Amino acid sequence: MEVNPLAVILVYFDSKGDRLLYRYPYQTLGQTLKLEEPREELVNKKRNPFAFAHTDDLLQTATHQTQTQSQGPGQLQGFADDVLSALFAVKPQLCNQKFELKLNDVRFVSHPTLISVVPTTVASTPASVGSNLSSAAGVAATAAVAKKQQMLINIVFALHAQASYSIVKCYHELSKRLGLALKFEEQRSGYLTEQTALMARTHDEQQQQPLERTLELIAERCSLAQALKSICNDLCTTGLLSTTLNQNLTLTFCLPAKAHQLHKKGSMVDPETIDRCLRALKPYHGMLLLVDFAELLDCVPPTGARMLWQLVDAYNPLISLQSMASNADLSIEHVYKLVSHLVYWAKATIIYPLCETNVYVIAPDAPLHTRSHLVEKFSTRFAGMSLFEVISDFSLPTSIGHLTTPLQQPARQGILAQMVLWMLQHHLLMQLHTYVQFMPSDADDEFGDSASCAQAGSNVTEEEQDSNHTEDEPNRERDDDPLHGGSMLSMSSQPLPMPVNAHRRSVPEDHYSLASDNIAVQPSSSHKSNFSMTASLSTDNCDSLDSMEDEQKLKELLQVFNDADRAAIRRIPASLNVDDLSLLVKLYQMGYFKSEHHLEEIMYFENLRRSQLLQLLDKFRDVLIIYETEDPAIASMYNNK
């Protein structure tokens, strides 16, 4: 409720004085202490019998008479129009900057604007309003011979006192934009002078009528009053504005704290949270629209519609922003700005492009009670399908690929993708990403060595493992491996099935082949000659040189780690492979093993295949810990209440 405005007030001030010209809603705002109140009652209310009563201090007296109350949207009590007019007709020194005033449980925020206008005597008659002031040429001609005057216009929003700083900041920005728009239209065609004169004349004509009737009549006659009324109603309903002033200037504005509640009730998304999310935007991210295409034009002025439609034509939730930018013939910077604008206006959300390897789970705050309106909405969208039956597959973290089989028809897979997108649009699912943390075990003593051997699945020493390594041991290790032993990561991260023996190269076997004699270059029985034996000996020498170079390179790579970490890595058989260790050191130095980068980000920036990265995590699983969680940059927008 604190997001909605209590009222919008238009205050005008010129050389003739100040006046409250219009406010909405029309309900009576309340009355302050009347001057004709019996003096005996006033004396009884004073705490000090010797204090002097200032009967002209209406604001101070009102605090004793009545408590300002907010009865809901548009219900403001405790202030008379003349008091509000005196409050908001500020001095020129306070113009063109933020104005904020808190009285009891109401907070007033505005941006007073000082505008140069033609003297009001020019617009004193209806004829002059209709002829001279209705056209830009008439105003320019009159201004050339008349002396300019200053007029203050102040559009004030009354808010709940407990409104957050972000909400107050948004309303101040809206008041500032309205002031600048009116200033532009005044300089272009004298629009503000015309509208304020018409409002003042209506007040004078309807002095004997109730104030509510006068305000209704002003809204019927004045387009500016109609615009303010529309703005207030839109802020209370959707938080999205698209108002045209003087049939010329279109003003668009979004109140994100209200707009994002349309897709997820109860969420309080402030602009600062959205900015943090958008600063983390990467080319590998994707976009998911939350509304139909027809609703996208409301959030951009007509001048920006062409570029938006270029992006919409290339929109696809299955591809990344970089791919969309290429298909739309736009730079990635322009795509960032367009996507950020759509996200701010609650027209789109940031996702990772939909693919079979994505892992999803039911959102903890998903509205899945039996009377949820989403149940019927889902059945209408997907005939014959039950929301509870479909979403139950994601009770545990599950990938889309795990729910599909090669024997399924493509149409069935397409329907599943559409259902996942629908559940993402309504924030029923959240995606989990895999993060990596470098955490070597403390194995400086003999107990650590024994534990390391036991973890490898053998009670023998490392030398015996290297010399007696068999094909059965890798298979047994694979069964214990969380990456390949049926865990969620293996099911969700492998796009294509791979042969069991080809899935992971056996590093101990490579080490054994390097350490053995002439196994790789034994001459055949039919070619036993001196030349073949000489070639064999020369090849042995080359292998020895290569082994020495590899050993030296391994030592250099291990210098990146401290002594304890170096000892833990040496016990891993994969550390004897230069390529594997080089990749490990590279990712370690880049800071990818600090639980701050998920696998998709590492794959993108380092140009790695998923299979390469998963094999590395498998080989060095003794020092690398993986876990699954949501992307904090994206999740921060939907975890605030």
Side-chain angles (χ1 to χ4, degrees):
M1 190 63 67
E2 68 176 22
V3 179
N4 297 335
L6 298 174
V8 58
I9 305 168
L10 174 62
V11 175
Y12 169 89
F13 179 77
D14 61 0
S15 58
K16 295 183 178 180
D18 58 81
R19 193 164 190 177
L20 191 151
L21 294 179
Y22 183 74
R23 58 175 170 78
Y24 183 81
Y26 305 137
Q27 288 81 4
T28 302
L29 297 182
Q31 299 296 330
T32 59
L33 178 64
K34 297 181 180 180
L35 298 181
E36 61 271 14
E37 185 175 4
R39 187 171 181 81
E40 293 77 13
E41 296 184 11
L42 181 62
V43 173
N44 293 334
K45 293 179 181 180
K46 295 187 303 180
R47 294 184 180 181
N48 188 349
F50 302 100
F52 180 76
H54 294 273
T55 56
D56 59 339
D57 191 354
L58 300 180
L59 178 60
Q60 182 66 24
T61 309
T63 59
H64 298 286
Q65 164 68 13
T66 179
Q67 186 75 8
T68 307
Q69 296 179 357
S70 55
Q71 304 292 342
Q75 301 293 325
L76 183 65
Q77 298 180 357
F79 300 105
D81 287 357
D82 54 351
V83 175
L84 296 175
S85 177
L87 283 174
F88 304 136
V90 298
K91 295 181 179 181
Q93 293 81 356
L94 298 178
C95 292
N96 301 321
Q97 58 183 322
K98 182 179 180 181
F99 176 85
E100 184 176 349
L101 177 65
K102 179 180 178 297
L103 294 176
N104 298 332
D105 58 348
V106 178
R107 188 183 303 274
F108 300 95
V109 60
S110 67
H111 188 89
T113 305
L114 200 61
I115 304 174
S116 298
V117 296
V118 180
T120 55
T121 55
V122 178
S124 58
T125 61
S128 62
V129 173
S131 59
N132 295 335
L133 295 180
S134 60
S135 63
V139 172
T142 305
V145 297
K147 184 180 179 180
K148 292 284 185 174
Q149 290 185 352
Q150 297 290 329
M151 176 180 63
L152 180 143
I153 191 75
N154 197 3
I155 300 177
V156 186
F157 291 97
L159 310 175
H160 292 271
Q162 65 269 25
S164 64
Y165 169 78
S166 298
I167 296 175
V168 173
K169 183 179 179 181
C170 289
Y171 278 100
H172 168 251
E173 179 66 22
L174 177 57
S175 177
K176 180 179 178 180
R177 292 189 186 183
L178 285 170
L180 293 176
L182 292 175
K183 183 177 181 179
F184 175 82
E185 287 301 309
E186 172 63 24
Q187 296 173 352
R188 189 184 70 87
S189 63
Y191 174 72
L192 186 57
T193 301
E194 176 188 351
Q195 294 294 305
T196 54
L198 185 56
M199 291 180 183
R201 186 166 59 253
T202 304
H203 275 286
D204 296 338
E205 295 173 355
Q206 303 292 324
Q207 288 184 357
Q208 305 302 325
Q209 299 294 329
L211 183 59
E212 290 80 358
R213 175 54 188 163
T214 303
L215 296 175
E216 291 178 359
L217 187 60
I218 290 176
E220 295 174 1
R221 294 179 177 180
C222 303
S223 61
L224 178 57
Q226 296 172 7
L228 294 177
K229 177 181 177 181
S230 175
I231 287 173
C232 188
N233 288 331
D234 291 342
L235 289 173
C236 293
T237 53
T238 63
L240 305 176
L241 308 181
S242 182
T243 305
T244 302
L245 297 176
N246 197 24
Q247 299 180 351
N248 175 68
L249 184 62
T250 301
L251 175 68
T252 59
F253 182 80
C254 172
L255 185 64
K258 184 73 175 181
H260 285 264
Q261 290 187 8
L262 299 175
H263 305 288
K264 186 175 182 181
K265 294 183 178 180
S267 62
M268 293 296 294
V269 182
D270 52 42
E272 291 77 13
T273 302
I274 300 177
D275 291 341
R276 287 195 299 269
C277 173
L278 297 179
R279 282 196 298 267
L281 206 58
K282 298 294 189 300
Y284 59 78
H285 280 128
M287 179 182 67
L288 177 63
L289 291 179
L290 302 178
V291 297
D292 296 332
F293 292 158
E295 301 182 35
L296 295 178
L297 292 180
D298 297 339
C299 67
V300 294
T303 55
R306 183 186 62 84
M307 189 175 295
L308 177 62
W309 277 117
Q310 286 183 250
L311 179 63
V312 171
D313 289 339
Y315 164 73
N316 190 339
L318 306 182
I319 63 178
S320 63
L321 297 180
Q322 189 177 38
S323 299
M324 279 190 278
S326 177
N327 297 340
D329 195 19
L330 296 172
S331 65
I332 190 65
E333 289 77 13
H334 286 157
V335 172
Y336 280 165
K337 293 180 180 179
L338 290 172
V339 172
S340 300
H341 188 75
L342 294 177
V343 172
Y344 188 91
W345 277 69
K347 304 288 187 180
T349 186
I350 302 299
I351 62 171
Y352 187 80
L354 195 69
C355 60
E356 293 184 353
T357 58
N358 289 3
V359 178
Y360 298 101
V361 70
I362 299 177
D365 54 350
L368 292 176
H369 50 85
T370 55
R371 297 183 179 180
S372 175
H373 69 285
L374 297 179
V375 176
E376 183 178 356
K377 189 175 181 179
F378 182 85
S379 301
T380 304
R381 174 66 177 82
F382 304 98
M385 304 298 294
S386 171
L387 175 61
F388 296 115
E389 181 179 353
V390 174
I391 204 171
S392 63
D393 294 331
F394 299 95
S395 298
L396 295 176
T398 307
S399 67
I400 299 179
H402 182 74
L403 300 177
T404 59
T405 61
L407 300 180
Q408 281 184 338
Q409 297 180 356
R412 169 60 183 170
Q413 298 179 0
I415 294 177
L416 177 61
Q418 292 296 327
M419 290 188 295
V420 171
L421 289 175
W422 188 93
M423 290 184 286
L424 288 174
Q425 288 176 331
H426 295 82
H427 306 292
L428 300 179
L429 296 178
M430 67 177 182
Q431 184 177 356
L432 300 182
H433 296 272
T434 302
Y435 292 82
V436 186
Q437 174 67 47
F438 181 78
M439 189 176 294
S441 59
D442 187 8
D444 293 337
D445 53 6
E446 58 183 358
F447 298 100
D449 294 339
S450 300
S452 176
C453 295
Q455 185 176 2
S458 175
N459 293 326
V460 297
T461 62
E462 291 183 21
E463 291 76 5
E464 293 174 346
Q465 290 182 7
D466 293 341
S467 60
N468 298 322
H469 193 77
T470 61
E471 280 294 326
D472 295 334
E473 187 172 351
N475 295 333
R476 180 160 47 83
E477 291 182 2
R478 188 175 296 111
D479 294 336
D480 297 334
D481 182 10
L483 292 175
H484 302 87
S487 70
M488 191 52 59
L489 182 62
S490 63
M491 292 185 291
S492 63
S493 302
Q494 294 294 341
L496 296 175
M498 301 180 63
V500 176
N501 293 332
H503 183 73
R504 182 166 71 95
R505 184 181 178 185
S506 181
V507 178
E509 289 180 359
D510 296 343
H511 174 59
Y512 176 73
S513 63
L514 292 174
S516 58
D517 295 334
N518 299 337
I519 294 181
V521 290
Q522 285 289 345
S524 60
S525 58
S526 60
H527 297 82
K528 293 182 180 180
S529 63
N530 294 332
F531 176 78
S532 62
M533 293 299 296
T534 304
S536 176
L537 293 175
S538 62
T539 306
D540 292 341
N541 295 333
C542 293
D543 290 343
S544 300
L545 293 176
D546 292 341
S547 300
M548 294 176 60
E549 293 179 358
D550 290 345
E551 184 177 357
Q552 182 63 27
K553 189 172 182 180
L554 291 175
K555 292 181 179 180
E556 295 176 358
L557 292 173
L558 290 174
Q559 293 301 318
V560 176
F561 306 96
N562 57 37
D563 294 339
D565 297 346
R566 192 182 305 120
I569 295 175
R570 279 186 176 276
R571 285 190 295 272
I572 300 175
S575 64
L576 300 176
N577 186 291
V578 176
D579 295 336
D580 292 338
L581 186 59
S582 298
L583 181 57
L584 176 73
V585 172
K586 176 184 176 182
L587 299 181
Y588 175 81
Q589 291 180 318
M590 295 294 294
Y592 290 124
F593 296 155
K594 297 181 179 180
S595 300
E596 298 176 356
H597 306 274
H598 51 71
L599 296 189
E600 288 78 10
E601 185 172 5
I602 301 174
M603 291 162 51
Y604 177 83
F605 286 110
E606 298 303 324
N607 194 23
L608 293 174
R609 296 191 304 272
R610 186 180 296 270
S611 59
Q612 290 179 274
L613 192 54
L614 291 178
Q615 289 178 18
L616 182 72
L617 298 180
D618 178 24
K619 295 175 181 178
F620 292 93
R621 64 185 182 273
D622 292 340
V623 295
L624 298 177
I625 296 177
I626 62 172
Y627 66 94
E628 293 179 341
T629 186
E630 54 188 340
D631 189 343
I634 299 177
S636 61
M637 290 183 54
Y638 307 105
N639 292 340
N640 295 287
K641 289 189 176 181

